[in-house]
Amino acid sequence: MTNQVEDCKDPKALTFGRTTEAVSRTRRATGAEARRDQVLTTKVGLHIPTGLAFEEWERAGRQLSGLLNSSSWWLGDWLVYGKDHYADRYERGINAAGLQYQTLRNYAWVSRRFELHRRRPALSFQHHAELASLCTDEQETWLDSAERMKWSTKQLRNAIRAQREGTPEQTAAAATTRRLAVPDSRLQWWHTAATEAGTELGEWVMATLDAAADQVLKEADRQPPLA
């Protein structure tokens, strides 16, 4: 991986994803001057410069998060390839790499369950892991919903559990994902409101609609009957 180094004596800058202007400035600088404003990676941690701008710190976090998610797929694909091509020797390769087979088993299983073209870049490896035991059609349905609704892993897990248990959340999820064409901006707005209220989106939608319906019907009851 291009972002790792052998030891702390030779740190490497976390530069990918930075602006073209920033990368250009880095290339023109040399030695210690080039490293003063960079987040540097080593095998044992990060060197974060004093006074790092918030935007650079935030960008580094996004890059590290992306690396963490991608590395699960990388390791899973690596193990699958080894098992398929070096059945008698791949465990030796795992040991030589200093990796624990038990840790990799889940990565490999999820990687086998999702071919490369079916993996959703907008969703994490853990989103896919939640769906690995399902059939392909169910996986695609849930992936579509999770991507469209911008669900966290926990929200996806809760939606699956609700469907299996036949709880009211299932009805709300189905109504939201299959019967309503909701713009992304509006959906994100609702997600924010539900989070502020400390509840899941399905519960918040049902409670809000119930309250609105109750208010409308009460007002309708107060209207004089038609002649």
Side-chain angles (χ1 to χ4, degrees):
M1 298 192 304
T2 60
N3 212 46
Q4 291 185 343
V5 295
E6 289 301 316
D7 53 44
C8 291
K9 295 181 181 179
D10 185 25
K12 186 166 184 179
L14 188 68
T15 56
F16 47 86
R18 300 178 69 189
T19 63
T20 303
E21 181 182 356
V23 173
S24 178
R25 286 199 306 269
T26 298
R27 289 174 176 170
R28 289 197 298 269
T30 60
E33 179 186 355
R35 292 180 175 179
R36 276 200 295 267
D37 65 342
Q38 297 175 6
V39 176
L40 306 178
T41 61
T42 75
K43 289 179 67 176
V44 294
L46 292 178
H47 286 284
I48 303 177
T50 301
L52 182 72
F54 172 80
E55 291 75 13
E56 291 293 329
W57 172 82
E58 184 181 47
R59 184 178 296 113
R62 291 198 302 268
Q63 294 166 352
L64 290 169
S65 177
L67 277 175
L68 181 63
N69 183 61
S70 297
S71 66
S72 298
W73 289 118
W74 297 338
L75 287 169
D77 290 340
W78 176 77
L79 185 61
V80 168
Y81 184 92
K83 192 168 185 178
D84 289 346
H85 292 82
Y86 316 113
D88 57 336
R89 291 175 292 168
Y90 82 102
E91 287 191 21
R92 187 178 72 187
I94 294 172
N95 293 331
L99 300 168
Q100 296 294 321
Y101 179 66
Q102 289 298 117
T103 303
L104 297 178
R105 285 180 62 187
N106 185 57
Y107 295 162
W109 181 59
V110 176
S111 294
R112 281 195 185 279
R113 296 290 294 163
F114 291 93
E115 299 90 342
L116 197 61
H117 69 276
R118 294 183 54 233
R119 300 172 188 176
R120 309 292 179 93
L123 300 176
S124 72
F125 179 86
Q126 290 304 317
H127 281 92
H128 294 77
E130 292 289 336
L131 306 172
S133 63
L134 304 179
C135 67
T136 300
D137 288 344
E138 288 182 298
Q139 288 173 352
E140 291 299 313
T141 297
W142 285 113
L143 287 173
D144 287 342
S145 296
E147 194 168 16
R148 182 168 59 251
M149 303 285 285
K150 303 185 187 302
W151 279 339
S152 66
T153 305
K154 181 180 179 180
Q155 288 172 319
L156 174 59
R157 186 184 308 123
N158 289 342
I160 295 171
R161 182 184 301 116
Q163 184 188 68
R164 289 172 177 169
E165 296 175 354
T167 55
E169 288 83 352
Q170 176 188 358
T171 303
T176 305
T177 59
R178 291 198 293 268
R179 299 178 187 175
L180 294 178
V182 182
D184 288 343
S185 58
R186 185 71 59 82
L187 193 59
Q188 188 59 44
W189 191 33
W190 293 351
H191 267 292
T192 301
T195 300
E196 289 294 325
T199 185
E200 298 292 340
L201 176 63
E203 296 176 356
W204 183 85
V205 168
M206 290 187 66
T208 303
L209 292 177
D210 283 345
D214 183 63
Q215 181 64 29
V216 169
L217 293 176
K218 284 181 178 178
E219 291 178 355
D221 288 342
R222 290 197 296 268
Q223 297 298 319
L226 295 175

